[in-house]
């Protein structure tokens, strides 16, 4: 699949940075990335960075159009939801990927592979309305009180009935994010496991190992990069999701004492807050800076994920082919 | 397995640690399949509930009327979505196909590698960040106010990586012998690209374009602060417009007792699911057929 440098073609003009000059069109995605960064940097004027920006203090006073704009609360909310969702999605999509590549016969795994591909196409806002209208009442009245009774002794899962009211909150956000991330992580994990050389697997089986032993000792060690890369790319998707999270997380600027309480994330906050910020220049500026922070984290996570994963696998997984 | 001697029972009737290992293998298999089912269940639940809320309420008016007051239909939003997707696809195909062809065909290997990484980085930029970019670059600085062009371009930026990636894959997967044969016969590179490579790469490219359209169709974050909102049907490039995902975002927290807002939101969600599934299945079919054709051609 990868582009193979062909000996039949003339050698590239120049090398190093000059090679870039010779291929202006290949730069267009780079131009777009650069434009995004430049526009956001220009809009933020970098005025609020430093000082209270890297703190948990968020306090905005609309009357004076001023306040302290710490990114801390949003960062914590983002980290909690994304990491919890990723742990769940990672485990579940590993299970699905192994089922599809190892245990299920082709007649079952082919349609199920297509099905998991189809799930990637369901719009995030659809997950959001399902979460808010259908799931939230169920979470608030049934699931969360049950969790309080059964595992309430675990810190974060206790609290009073008032905490679960409404059902929106961290737990529901984690649930929705988990389901949204699974198609992507599953696709990359599946491709990584599928690309494990057949002779290695068959050598293991021929030595008398069971399928699970071969999976654990051979497939995992060969596919390790792709499996980790899937987690990183899934993490990037989870922290960037704005709409569905804004709908189900309860949208309150706080770090709740239990997982049932409302909170917010960087992406969802800058999404639902922007229209009320049009009239407040200082708030608007803070939001742009949050967007920059989010962009920086997303790019770093994405590049790390790409380094771990073979690019063909990302292509095969996310290109739908 | 049976070698012919009665005393060799160890393989057929495992005992001791072999038995434990086989039992573990079986247990793991069932556990994994159970986890698979556990993931599919909530998704079926979602499709069921959205259909249950949306389908009984569909009338002709849903498709032909604009949303007015407490009632009306999705007409303006359907048109608006098609309009935005049209602009976005033009933008994404323009940039994605050019740079994809360049990356696969002309770029020196080192440049191609970095270009692919950057393409994937663009795919990883959160949609809301692209929305902010569109808001500042095409709504604020231009003084145009909310407009469809800004919405379409922001959506297009979001879609570029998908088109770019599949174009690149499509052209790079042309068998090397085809390319060398063409060039050896004295063809110019542009002739090779158009006459030989394009027909082979086209199905992959098209599936990428359709995929990008299906994904763009379902995006909300790049549009809310660029395309704005308008309850009547869009009239021009520099006018604001409504769109299906926006119907969900704007109406999802209305109580079901108040007007038809919530029903409209569910109907929009239902339409989006149906369109997305249809397009994605079409992509699978195209890709499958193409793979079969490739196998026939080159093996």
């Amino acid at each position: 699949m990868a582009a193979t440098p062909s000996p039949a073609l003339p050698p590239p003009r120049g090398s190093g940075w000059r090679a870039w000059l010779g291929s202006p069109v290949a730069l267009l995605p780079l131009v777009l990335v650069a434009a995004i960064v430049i526009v956001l940097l220009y809009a933020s004027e970098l005025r609020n960075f430093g000082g209270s920006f890297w703190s948990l203090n968020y306090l905005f006073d609309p009357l004076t159009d001023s306040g302290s704009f710490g990114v801390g609360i949003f960062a914590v909310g983002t980290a909690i939801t994304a990491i919890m969702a990723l742990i769940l999605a990672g485990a579940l999509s590993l299970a699905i990927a192994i089922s599809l590549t190892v245990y299920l016969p082709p007649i079952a795994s082919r349609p199920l592979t297509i099905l998991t591909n189809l799930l990637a196409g369901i719009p995030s806002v659809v997950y959001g309305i399902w979460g808010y209208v259908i799931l939230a009442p169920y979470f608030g009245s049934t699931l969360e009180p049950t969790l309080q009774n059964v595992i309430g002794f675990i810190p974060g899962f206790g609290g009073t009935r008032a905490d679960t009211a409404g059902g929106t909150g961290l737990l529901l956000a984690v649930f929705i994010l988990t389901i949204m991330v699974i198609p992507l992580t599953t696709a990359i994990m599946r491709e990584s496991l599928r690309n494990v050389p057949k002779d290695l697997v068959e050598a293991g089986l021929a030595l008398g190992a069971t399928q699970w032993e071969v999976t654990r000792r051979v497939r995992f060690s060969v596919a390790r990069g792709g499996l980790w890369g899937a987690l990183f790319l899934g993490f990037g998707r989870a922290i960037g999701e704005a709409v569905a999270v804004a709908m189900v997380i309860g949208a309150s600027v706080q770090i709740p004492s239990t997982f049932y309480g409302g909170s917010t994330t960087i992406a969802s906050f800058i999404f639902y807050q922007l229209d009320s910020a049009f009239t407040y220049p200082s708030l608007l500026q803070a939001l742009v800076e949050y967007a920059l922070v989010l962009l920086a984290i997303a790019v770093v996570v994405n590049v790390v994920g790409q380094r771990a994963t073979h690019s063909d696998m990302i292509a095969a997984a996310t290109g739908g082919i | 397995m049976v070698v012919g001697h009665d005393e060799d029972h160890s393989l057929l009737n495992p005992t001791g640690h072999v038995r434990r290992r086989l039992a573990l293998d079986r247990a793991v298999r069932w556990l994994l399949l159970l986890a698979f089912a556990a993931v599919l269940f909530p998704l079926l639940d979602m499709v069921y509930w959205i259909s249950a809320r949306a389908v009984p309420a569909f009338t002709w008016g849903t498709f032909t009327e604009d949303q007015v007051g407490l009632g009306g239909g999705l007409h303006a939003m359907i048109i608006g979505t098609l309009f935005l997707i049209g602009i976005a696809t033009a933008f994404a195909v323009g940039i994605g196909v050019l740079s994809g062809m360049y990356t696969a065909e002309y770029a020196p290997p080192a440049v191609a590698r970095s270009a692919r990484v950057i393409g994937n980085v663009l795919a990883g930029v959160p949609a809301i960040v692209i929305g902010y970019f569109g808001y500042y670059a095409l709504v604020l600085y231009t003084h145009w106010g909310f407009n469809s062009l800004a919405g379409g371009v922001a959506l297009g930026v979001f879609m570029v990586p998908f088109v770019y990636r599949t174009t690149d894959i499509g052209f790079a997967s042309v068998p090397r012998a085809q390319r060398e044969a063409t060039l050896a016969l004295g063809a110019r590179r542009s002739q090779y690209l158009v006459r030989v490579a394009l027909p082979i790469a086209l199905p992959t490219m098209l599936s990428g374009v359709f995929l990008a359209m299906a994904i763009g169709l379902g995006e909300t974050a790049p549009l809310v602060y660029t395309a704005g909102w308008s309850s009547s049907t869009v009239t021009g490039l520099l006018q604001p417009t409504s769109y299906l995902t926006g119907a969900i975002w704007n109406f999802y927290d209305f109580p079901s007792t108040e007007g038809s807002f919530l029903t409209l939101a569910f109907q929009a969600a239902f339409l989006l699911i149906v369109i997305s599934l249809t397009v994605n299945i079409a992509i699978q079919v195209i890709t499958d057929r193409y793979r079969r054709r490739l196998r026939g051609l080159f093996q």
Side-chain angles (χ1 to χ4, degrees):
Chain A
M1 275 299 208
T4 38
S6 166
L9 299 176
R13 280 166 290 169
S15 58
W17 62 271
R18 257 172 304 180
W20 278 101
L21 287 185
S23 52
V25 189
L27 285 170
L28 279 176
L30 178 66
V31 169
L32 288 178
V33 174
I36 292 171
V37 173
I38 289 168
V39 165
L40 290 189
L41 279 176
Y42 181 73
S44 76
E45 302 170 28
L46 295 179
R47 202 178 285 163
N48 293 326
F49 280 120
S52 65
F53 185 80
W54 305 105
S55 75
L56 288 172
N57 287 325
Y58 176 85
L59 197 71
F60 173 64
D61 180 8
L63 292 178
T64 58
D65 185 23
S66 65
S68 73
F69 297 105
V71 75
I73 290 181
F74 310 106
V76 172
T78 304
I80 294 176
T81 48
I83 290 174
M84 283 182 63
L86 202 69
I87 292 171
L88 292 171
L92 287 170
S93 47
L94 189 60
I96 297 177
I98 298 173
S99 302
L100 287 175
T101 49
V102 179
Y103 284 111
L104 286 172
I107 192 160
S109 84
R110 257 183 64 95
L112 287 172
T113 301
I114 293 178
L115 186 66
T116 47
N117 281 345
L118 294 183
L119 297 180
I122 293 182
S124 61
V125 70
V126 171
Y127 287 108
I129 190 175
W130 172 61
Y132 182 81
V133 180
I134 310 287
L135 286 185
Y138 169 73
F139 268 56
S141 66
T142 312
L143 184 71
E144 292 179 350
T146 312
L147 283 180
Q148 279 180 332
N149 289 337
V150 180
I151 57 166
F153 57 89
I154 302 175
F157 288 95
T160 62
R161 279 305 298 271
D163 292 330
T164 68
T168 54
L170 280 179
L171 194 67
L172 186 56
V174 168
F175 182 82
I176 294 286
L177 270 182
T178 304
I179 292 191
M180 293 184 56
V181 170
I182 282 178
L184 176 69
T185 44
T186 303
I188 300 174
M189 286 182 175
R190 190 190 64 219
E191 290 307 316
S192 313
L193 289 176
R194 194 163 280 170
N195 277 10
V196 172
K198 222 174 180 169
D199 27 355
L200 289 182
V201 171
E202 282 167 0
L205 292 175
L207 286 173
T210 63
Q211 278 286 7
W212 171 241
E213 286 161 349
V214 172
T215 304
R216 204 162 57 91
R217 308 259 176 96
V218 179
R219 288 196 177 93
F220 281 3
S221 47
V222 177
R224 186 180 294 145
L227 299 180
W228 280 108
L231 290 183
F232 274 97
L233 295 173
F235 188 71
R237 160 108 18 129
I239 59 171
E241 180 46 49
V243 186
V245 173
M247 290 160 94
V248 299
I249 201 170
S252 55
V253 185
Q254 59 160 353
I255 300 168
S257 56
T258 68
F259 286 114
Y260 315 122
S263 184
T264 189
T265 67
I266 300 179
S268 66
F269 186 75
I270 63 177
F271 177 62
Y272 66 71
Q273 200 65 29
L274 184 57
D275 57 354
S276 46
F278 290 152
T279 42
Y280 304 116
S282 73
L283 179 58
L284 198 53
Q285 213 169 42
L287 291 181
V288 179
E289 281 159 351
Y290 295 160
L292 272 172
V293 172
L294 181 64
L295 177 62
I297 301 173
V299 168
V300 169
V301 169
N302 181 284
V303 171
V304 173
Q306 284 193 56
R307 285 197 74 93
T309 319
H310 199 277
S311 71
D312 288 353
M313 263 168 257
I314 302 180
T318 53
I321 26 180
Chain B
M1 286 269 202
V2 185
V3 203
H5 293 287
D6 292 63
E7 53 271 19
D8 190 7
H9 282 303
S10 59
L11 283 172
L12 290 176
N13 298 313
T15 51
H17 81 286
V18 175
R19 198 187 185 124
R20 273 199 303 280
R21 285 166 55 206
L22 287 175
L24 177 69
D25 186 51
R26 222 169 295 132
V28 167
R29 183 174 67 199
W30 284 111
L31 195 70
L32 296 180
L33 292 177
L34 199 69
F36 200 156
V39 172
L40 290 182
F41 175 73
L43 290 154
L44 293 176
D45 181 77
M46 177 178 79
V47 173
Y48 168 76
W49 276 111
I50 287 176
S51 314
R53 291 289 194 100
V55 173
F58 271 113
T59 61
W60 268 123
T62 312
F63 300 99
T64 56
E65 289 169 22
D66 288 352
Q67 196 265 320
V68 192
L70 294 177
L74 295 168
H75 178 258
M77 297 145 206
I78 296 172
I79 302 293
T81 293
L82 295 178
F83 191 52
L84 289 171
I85 282 289
I87 303 170
T89 307
F91 184 87
V93 168
I95 289 189
V97 167
L98 281 180
S99 20
M101 273 167 64
Y102 209 103
T103 308
E105 191 52 37
Y106 290 91
V111 176
R113 260 197 308 277
S114 330
R116 287 186 186 112
V117 171
I118 287 161
N120 287 335
V121 165
L122 187 58
V125 173
I128 180 62
V129 173
I130 294 177
Y132 267 60
F133 163 71
Y135 171 67
Y136 275 96
L138 299 164
V139 175
L140 267 194
Y141 297 153
T142 54
H143 299 289
W144 289 341
F146 292 130
N147 64 86
S148 313
L149 183 66
V153 170
L155 200 56
V157 173
F158 185 82
M159 286 159 53
V160 162
F162 297 95
V163 181
Y164 170 65
R165 201 183 272 158
T166 44
T167 306
D168 179 21
I169 294 172
F171 278 94
S173 68
V174 176
R176 196 198 283 191
Q178 295 279 317
R179 165 153 78 185
E180 287 173 358
T182 317
L183 295 175
L185 286 171
R188 267 177 276 125
R189 237 196 226 176
S190 55
Q191 286 174 318
Y192 157 73
L193 271 181
V194 176
R195 302 252 181 104
V196 179
L198 189 63
I200 297 175
L202 197 62
T204 313
M205 270 171 65
L206 278 184
S207 78
V209 173
F210 284 137
L211 180 79
M213 288 167 81
I215 288 176
L217 205 73
E219 272 306 315
T220 321
L223 295 176
V224 172
Y225 301 109
T226 49
W229 189 256
S230 140
S231 23
S232 55
T233 308
V234 60
T235 51
L237 268 185
L238 294 184
Q239 303 302 316
T241 180
S242 51
Y243 40 94
L244 284 170
T245 49
I248 306 178
W249 168 246
N250 286 325
F251 301 152
Y252 80 99
D253 53 357
F254 277 90
S256 55
T257 47
E258 190 182 323
S260 58
F261 294 111
L262 193 60
T263 307
L264 284 180
F266 271 110
Q267 288 176 323
F270 181 77
L271 286 182
L272 287 171
I273 292 183
V274 169
I275 300 173
S276 150
L277 290 188
T278 313
V279 174
N280 275 295
I281 290 172
I283 294 171
Q284 300 278 349
V285 172
I286 294 182
T287 319
D288 264 21
R289 188 166 296 174
Y290 160 72
R291 275 202 187 129
R292 229 169 298 140
R293 207 186 72 181
L294 253 196
R295 236 173 315 189
L297 265 182
F298 299 117
Q299 281 182 9

